Amino acid sequence: MSARPHLFRLLTILLALTVTASLTGGTVRAGAQAKPNVVVIMVDDMNTYALQYLDNVRSLLAEPGTTFDNSVVSYSLCCPSRATFMTGQYAHNHGVLSNALPDGGYPKLPAAETLPVWLTRGGYDTGHIGKFLNGYGRANPTEIPPGWAEWYGSVDPSTYRMWGYTLNENGVLRTYGSADVEDPALYQTDVYAGKAVDYIRRKAPADKPFFLSFAPLSPHGEGAGGDRSQRNPRPAPRHLGALDDVTLPKPPSFDEANVSDKPAAVRNRPRIDAAAEARMQNVALKGRLESLLSVDEAVAGIVAALRESGELDNTLIVFTSDNGWMQGEHRIRNGKIVPYEESIRVPLIMRGPGLPAGRHVKTLASNVDLVPTILDVTDATPAITLDGRSLLPIVADPAMIPRGIVIENGPRTDGARWYAGLRAPRWKYVEHSTGELELYDLQRDPYELTSVHADPSYDATRQALASRLAALRTCAGDACRQWTPVPGPRP
């Protein structure tokens, strides 16, 4: 770590000590104040569009904290992204390249050396509540992954049910309700939220700092079965119909008319007709957004518990998603894993010691940066090479040198198409396993309507990005943070 983040953290600690001493008549719990608590709230499949409906996230986290307006995930799929959150590495290094075997899933996670393990070694209590990596619990439902002192992990495949889900509660399996009975008291997000508040109330008064991973399923859809004409996912009963007036957003890329510049996987998609649009709006969009209202209430409960315990100002709270979500852009009716903005961009909001209130940071950030940032704040030490960088210096100096983020979903051995590319501040460049290319000038074309990979005026740009990608697609450690400017198009 550089000296600058250490100095930044030292000033934060001194400020916290001073404020606490003034409020407590000079008595300070040195153990708790020396290292801040960390709470990470990671939702599932939330795009940045949905943030406007989360009042508590905005008022309790964004307004008193810092928002990273250009936050992307390197691999836009649940399991690989969550593995990046556990390791601080790109997927090409941690090896989780899909949601299931042979290329991915929980069994592929190198679990012996991950964030909770390092935080435990650094003196932290650790707890996880909710979804973990895809496939967790299928082979051994009572397994507790390394590093977690308290564990309330959802067991697959029940993870994808708002009722009738099973948790491994510190080695004991407990099932909450049944899939076909919508008991308001057992709604999945609310049960998780209750456990999170209970955890904070038990841990916050102690001298030992804690790390809490809170991972609700929303707004991810539920599994197969049930009445598919209804909301999917099902919101809490109290929120059903709360957003009946919401309509599908229709940016210029929605049901894109001309996709001749796109790969065949997009060109071959049909247009979105009225029936498809109605289903997208009434089943998926409203279900997704209404299900997030309980997450928003959970955020309020977590913040209130931290405030009541006196630990709010000494806790880093991170709110983000494992990946984004497509909802009609470029004719893609739903899903993720594609390289387009709606798929790779996610909300990223941080509130805590040293993070300025109301700050919006434009510098590119990525999920590969979450582990380095948390380790910077907690002064814990990783035992593997990290590919990302701490975001604290970026907050202090947003004019830092830009960088390119590797976006990837392969190579795969299961026969699926894959791509590798770069997301830079102005550029997105993608090389597909089919040999197809995409290049977008996001400054001129933020909706990615026209790929300029075949435009002669962008030849130098394409060649420079291809060279950068050749160097970064298998990078590790410091090499992943190297970047040089890319020339723009000829006039």
Side-chain angles (χ1 to χ4, degrees):
M1 275 180 210
S2 68
R4 185 172 194 172
H6 280 295
L7 177 60
F8 184 82
R9 184 169 54 253
L10 177 61
L11 293 174
T12 297
I13 292 170
L14 291 174
L15 176 62
L17 288 168
T18 302
V19 171
T20 304
S22 67
L23 294 176
T24 60
T27 301
V28 177
R29 291 188 293 107
Q33 293 298 331
K35 291 186 177 183
N37 312 303
V38 179
V39 176
V40 176
I41 302 166
M42 180 173 287
V43 295
D44 199 326
D45 288 1
M46 178 181 163
N47 54 25
T48 57
Y49 161 82
L51 189 59
Q52 63 188 294
Y53 297 97
L54 304 186
D55 294 341
N56 291 321
V57 172
R58 297 199 316 275
S59 64
L60 298 176
L61 301 183
E63 291 178 11
T66 297
T67 300
F68 295 84
D69 292 324
N70 291 295
S71 173
V72 301
V73 294
S74 57
Y75 192 138
S76 180
L77 186 65
C78 302
C79 198
S81 179
R82 290 168 187 265
T84 290
F85 169 54
M86 286 289 101
T87 63
Q89 292 182 328
Y90 283 121
H92 63 253
N93 288 325
H94 61 59
V96 181
L97 296 171
S98 182
N99 278 347
L101 294 171
D103 292 316
Y106 170 70
K108 298 284 284 188
L109 177 71
E113 291 295 343
T114 56
L115 178 62
V117 174
W118 307 326
L119 291 176
T120 297
R121 292 173 185 159
Y124 274 74
D125 266 331
T126 58
H128 174 81
I129 300 168
K131 178 176 176 176
F132 198 51
L133 271 66
N134 300 61
Y136 166 75
R138 287 185 179 271
N140 182 4
T142 59
E143 175 190 4
I144 299 174
W148 299 104
E150 289 200 30
W151 180 257
Y152 306 91
S154 60
V155 175
D156 280 2
S158 77
T159 297
Y160 302 95
R161 294 196 289 263
M162 289 305 187
W163 286 273
Y165 51 93
T166 298
L167 298 184
N168 171 6
E169 301 187 348
N170 298 313
V172 178
L173 298 181
R174 181 179 177 185
T175 298
Y176 290 80
S178 59
D180 56 351
V181 178
E182 298 185 1
D183 182 349
L186 299 180
Y187 186 66
Q188 188 193 92
T189 306
D190 294 344
V191 170
Y192 291 178
K195 293 182 181 299
V197 169
D198 174 70
Y199 181 90
I200 291 169
R201 287 174 175 167
R202 287 187 290 107
K203 298 296 181 180
D207 286 342
K208 193 174 184 180
F210 65 85
F211 166 63
L212 174 62
S213 166
F214 176 68
L217 175 66
S218 297
H220 193 291
E222 294 186 73
D227 183 352
R228 311 313 291 168
S229 67
Q230 302 301 312
R231 302 280 203 263
N232 185 18
R234 291 171 290 176
R238 66 186 178 278
H239 295 140
L240 181 62
L243 298 176
D244 261 340
D245 58 344
V246 172
T247 59
L248 272 171
K250 293 186 177 180
S253 56
F254 182 85
D255 190 29
E256 188 176 355
N258 182 357
V259 291
S260 60
D261 61 307
K262 302 291 190 295
V266 175
R267 293 199 309 272
N268 294 336
R269 290 178 178 269
R271 299 293 299 273
I272 299 174
D273 59 22
E277 182 178 328
R279 178 173 174 78
M280 291 168 59
Q281 178 168 291
N282 296 324
V283 177
L285 179 69
K286 293 178 182 179
R288 288 168 52 78
L289 294 179
E290 288 175 353
S291 76
L292 278 169
L293 297 179
S294 58
V295 174
D296 196 47
E297 292 176 351
V299 169
I302 288 171
V303 171
L306 289 167
R307 181 180 288 112
E308 291 164 6
S309 69
E311 291 289 336
L312 180 59
D313 291 337
N314 191 43
T315 301
L316 171 67
I317 306 176
V318 179
F319 181 90
T320 191
S321 177
D322 55 1
N323 48 255
W325 187 254
M326 304 293 293
Q327 45 196 29
E329 300 87 3
H330 316 297
R331 304 187 187 180
I332 302 173
R333 302 180 185 189
N334 55 63
K336 56 253 185 166
I337 210 172
V338 293
Y340 305 116
E341 288 295 277
E342 293 80 9
S343 173
I344 68 171
R345 285 191 60 200
V346 296
L348 178 58
I349 300 168
M350 296 185 183
R351 171 184 178 168
L355 290 162
R359 174 74 58 84
H360 284 261
V361 176
K362 303 299 182 183
T363 304
L364 198 61
S366 172
N367 62 333
V368 79
D369 301 324
L370 295 179
V371 166
T373 302
I374 292 171
L375 295 180
D376 195 3
V377 168
T378 60
D379 207 19
T381 303
I384 61 176
T385 299
L386 305 183
D387 298 333
R389 66 184 186 186
S390 172
L391 295 174
L392 296 186
I394 295 175
V395 175
D397 183 8
M400 288 184 67
I401 297 174
R403 36 102 71 118
I405 301 296
V406 176
I407 52 176
E408 58 188 345
N409 69 346
R412 306 277 290 275
T413 63
D414 59 5
R417 294 186 302 269
W418 57 274
Y419 62 79
L422 292 172
R423 171 62 159 87
R426 179 174 176 177
W427 312 107
K428 181 179 293 176
Y429 175 70
V430 184
E431 296 179 355
H432 293 268
S433 59
T434 57
E436 297 164 301
L437 302 178
E438 292 180 89
L439 171 59
Y440 298 98
D441 184 341
L442 299 175
Q443 180 176 297
R444 297 181 176 182
D445 181 20
Y447 295 103
E448 301 170 292
L449 299 177
T450 304
S451 175
V452 294
H453 63 276
D455 185 335
S457 66
Y458 282 87
D459 281 350
T461 304
R462 187 190 68 253
Q463 292 167 8
L465 287 167
S467 175
R468 307 292 188 279
L469 178 59
L472 293 175
R473 66 191 306 163
T474 58
C475 70
D478 289 341
C480 296
R481 299 183 284 273
Q482 303 303 310
W483 189 255
T484 52
V486 173
R490 297 198 310 268

